[in-house]
Every structure is written in C-alpha cells, then in structure tokens.
Amino acid sequence: MFWSAALAAEDATPRPVSLDEAQRTANDAAGWVEENWSVWLSNGLRIILIVVIAVVMRSLIRRAITKLIARMNRTASAVDGTALGGLLVNAERRRQRSEAIGSVLRSVASFLIMGTAALTVLSVLKINLAPLLASAGVAGVAIGFGARNLVTDFLSGVFMILEDQYGVGDTIDAGVASGEVIEVGLRVTKLRGTDGEIWYVRNGEVKRIGNLSQGWATAGVDVQIRSDEDLDRVREIITRTGEDMQKSEPWTERLWEPVEVLGLSAVYLDSVVIRVSAKTMPGKALGVERELRWRIKRALDAEGIRIVGRPQEANLETDGADPAAAVAAPSALANPASPQSQATTPIPPAPVVPGATGATLGK
C-alpha cells in the first residue's frame, strides 16, 4: 500500500525539462505562429471590415427611413386644417401610421443587416453553422407555439397598418367593439365608444372591420306628409332646399353630390313617406341629416305643407277587432247562489246550549 502511494506520487511529480526540449518546443510554437499569423491577420481584418460595413449600412438605412417618415409627417401637417386635409389626410392618423411603419422597417433592417453580418463572421471563423441554424429553427418554432397569440397580434397589426385599413379618427366596427380609433399599435388598437369608454382590442382578435370613415357616407331623411298633397310640388321644394344648402358654408364641402329625392318609401291611408338622400363626406352624414331636416321643415312650413306623424302600428292592428274579445269569461264563484260558491262557504260552528255539560252532551 505504501509502495503504491509512493510510486503514484513519483509519477505525478513533473520531470525536469531539458534545454533542448524547451528550445524545440519554442521553435515549434514560433513556427506555428509564423505559419498562421497571416491567416489570423486576414481573418481579423475581414471581421473588422464586415462589422464596420454592417454598422455603417444599418445607420444609413435607419437614417433614410427616419427622413422618409419625417417628410411624410411634414406633408400631412401642411394640409391639415384645410378642406383637402379633412377629406384625405388626418395629421395624427398619418403620423401614427408612419411612425409604426418606420419602427417596423427599422427593426427589420437592423435584424437583417446585423444577422447577416453575424453569420458572415462565424463563417470567417470556420464555425459550422448547420447545428446553429438547426437549433435556432427549433427555438423559433418553440417560441412561435408558445407566443402564437402575440405573434398573431403583431402580424395582424403590421398588415392593418400597411394596408391602411383604419387610422386615428376613423369610426370603425371591429366586431368585438365599435367606436372611434384613438390609437393604432402593432399589438393593440384603442377605441373610444359612444358612451366614452375606451376599448383595447387585440389586433389578432379582429376578424372583420367596417370602416365608417373611408370613401363616402350617405345621409338619409324621411319626410312624411299628407297623402292629398301635391307630390311634384313637394319634390320641387325639397330639391330647391337641397340646392340652397349645398351652396352655403360649411355644407358646400360636406355635400359631395346634390340632394336627391328618391321617391316614396311608404304609403299609408292618410300619409306618404318621401325618401331623401345625399352623398356626404365620411363621418359627416349625421350632421347633414339634421341640417337637411331643419331646412326641409322650414321650407314646407313656408309653403303651407304640413308634416304629419307616423301612424301608430298598434292602432292599425286593433282596428275592427271585437271589444268583447278582451273581456274575461264569467266565473261561477262570482254568483253567491251557485253550487260552486256555496260549496266554498265555510261551515258555521255548532250552537252552544246554555247549562249543558260535557256529560250531558255525551249522553
């Protein structure tokens, strides 16, 4: 046991290196360095050049994207407040949309440029990229499955912004909620409802969108008059009223086409309903309808034509009905002399005889 421990200690003790062995080792190291220093220098210079090119290209592209977004914002601000700005451009909408697009473009440019530079550096260092790419692919699939809702929201937000489906100031119906858009993000869209509440709608949850602020809107007004009025005269009055309204401010910008009398939409026994329509600026249909009703009412009053109310549907349905149909059938219990009423009368208690006892009663 002792001899074994001694031999092990003797083997572990480093042997003295001779001068010739040290010189030979140094010569080998110097030769290896001399043979490979050019490769090291070349690879180092290539890596530095790749990094410098990537940083410069990334900076130039990000700066170009930032200038493009700033130019878009300046163009939107120049026409904001004018008729063209109210019709085609909303400064806040364009600003948020351009900022979101710029953020996406900058992130994509940085990822592509720096990712390509990193892969190029690894290839210069003679590192096998196949296992690394395979691992990255597996990790990407796992992250995609784990955060699929987040990825869905992000991609949906990107396409909504790029396609300009809606923007700040638009009134939309997103299915899960409806209201005015106050903020558009890559993951969440904020809506303000009719009662002032704020809805946070995830972009991935939106299956269909109805934009009420794009293109044009329609203002519809129903005018109900007596059936014995001259319809041609009424048409002429309404048409003249619409022409006067279209020539006055600010309705000259909000009315895109002349007010049109479509005809009769309903006919009753004592009245008729005339349908009036007008194509308006998006989001201005409600105001146009109110103003058009006001002007038509005043014009008809000036011509002595009365506007009547809509007939009550309940009265129309009950005309000719038997009044006794609503009376309930007579009940047998209502007659005190009927057998049913007498059967339900309580039995009176037995009379008490004075002076009678229990024993007497028992007999």
Side-chain angles (χ1 to χ4, degrees):
M1 184 71 178
F2 175 76
W3 289 104
S4 299
L7 291 175
E10 183 178 356
D11 293 338
T13 303
R15 297 180 181 179
V17 180
S18 62
L19 183 60
D20 294 338
E21 292 179 355
Q23 185 176 2
R24 185 169 59 253
T25 303
N27 291 334
D28 292 341
W32 183 77
V33 171
E34 184 178 0
E35 291 177 0
N36 294 282
W37 74 271
S38 59
V39 178
W40 293 350
L41 181 60
S42 175
N43 292 342
L45 292 177
R46 290 176 62 185
I47 292 174
I48 293 174
L49 182 61
I50 291 171
V51 173
V52 170
I53 292 176
V55 172
V56 172
M57 184 178 298
R58 176 178 176 271
S59 177
L60 292 177
I61 292 179
R62 289 176 65 89
R63 184 174 300 178
I65 293 174
T66 302
K67 289 184 177 180
L68 178 62
I69 298 302
R71 181 177 300 177
M72 293 173 59
N73 292 335
R74 286 198 301 270
T75 304
S77 300
V79 296
D80 186 35
T82 62
L84 180 62
L87 177 62
L88 300 177
V89 180
N90 182 289
E92 182 62 20
R93 168 179 178 170
R94 289 288 299 271
R95 187 191 66 80
Q96 289 200 14
R97 179 170 178 262
S98 58
E99 289 294 338
I101 295 176
S103 176
V104 173
L105 293 179
R106 284 191 290 265
S107 299
V108 170
S110 299
F111 176 77
L112 292 178
I113 294 175
M114 302 309 295
T116 303
L119 294 178
T120 307
V121 170
L122 293 177
S123 64
V124 170
L125 297 176
K126 306 299 181 182
I127 297 177
N128 189 11
L129 299 180
L132 182 62
L133 295 178
S135 302
V138 173
V141 171
I143 294 174
F145 275 108
R148 59 184 180 275
N149 290 333
L150 182 61
V151 175
T152 302
D153 296 340
F154 180 81
L155 293 179
S156 300
V158 170
F159 283 107
M160 286 179 182
I161 293 174
L162 292 179
E163 296 173 359
D164 194 18
Q165 298 180 6
Y166 55 83
V168 175
D170 287 352
T171 301
I172 66 171
D173 181 3
V176 294
S178 60
E180 182 181 355
V181 180
I182 59 177
E183 185 177 343
V184 179
L186 294 178
R187 193 182 68 87
V188 174
T189 298
K190 294 173 62 175
L191 305 177
R192 184 175 296 279
T194 55
D195 296 331
E197 70 277 9
I198 296 180
W199 298 96
Y200 293 85
V201 181
R202 289 172 42 199
N203 295 329
E205 295 293 330
V206 179
K207 303 303 180 183
R208 52 91 173 163
I209 295 176
N211 196 324
L212 308 180
S213 301
Q214 286 185 352
W216 47 269
T218 301
V221 176
D222 290 334
V223 181
Q224 186 167 356
I225 60 175
R226 292 179 301 182
S227 58
D228 57 351
E229 296 288 351
D230 187 356
L231 297 182
D232 294 333
R233 181 163 168 259
V234 173
R235 180 196 295 270
E236 180 182 355
I237 295 172
I238 295 176
T239 302
R240 185 172 64 250
T241 303
E243 293 175 354
D244 295 340
M245 178 178 174
Q246 194 173 16
K247 295 177 183 178
S248 60
E249 294 291 341
W251 312 109
T252 182
E253 297 178 358
R254 300 179 182 180
L255 279 172
W256 286 8
E257 291 184 0
V259 177
E260 182 181 2
V261 180
L262 300 180
L264 297 179
S265 61
V267 177
Y268 302 102
L269 294 177
D270 57 349
S271 63
V272 293
V273 179
I274 302 175
R275 182 69 174 178
V276 182
S277 177
K279 184 177 291 186
T280 68
M281 182 186 298
K284 305 298 182 182
L286 185 59
V288 172
E289 290 178 359
R290 293 170 177 171
E291 182 67 18
L292 191 57
R293 290 192 188 97
W294 181 281
R295 291 174 177 261
I296 290 176
K297 176 65 168 60
R298 294 181 59 184
L300 293 179
D301 289 344
E303 297 292 336
I305 300 176
R306 292 179 55 191
I307 296 179
V308 299
R310 188 178 299 275
Q312 298 181 3
E313 300 296 337
N315 294 340
L316 294 178
E317 293 177 356
T318 57
D319 286 346
D322 186 7
V327 179
S331 175
L333 299 177
N335 185 8
S338 63
Q340 293 84 357
S341 179
Q342 293 178 0
T344 57
T345 302
I347 299 176
V352 179
V353 180
T357 61
T360 305
L361 292 176
K363 291 179 181 180

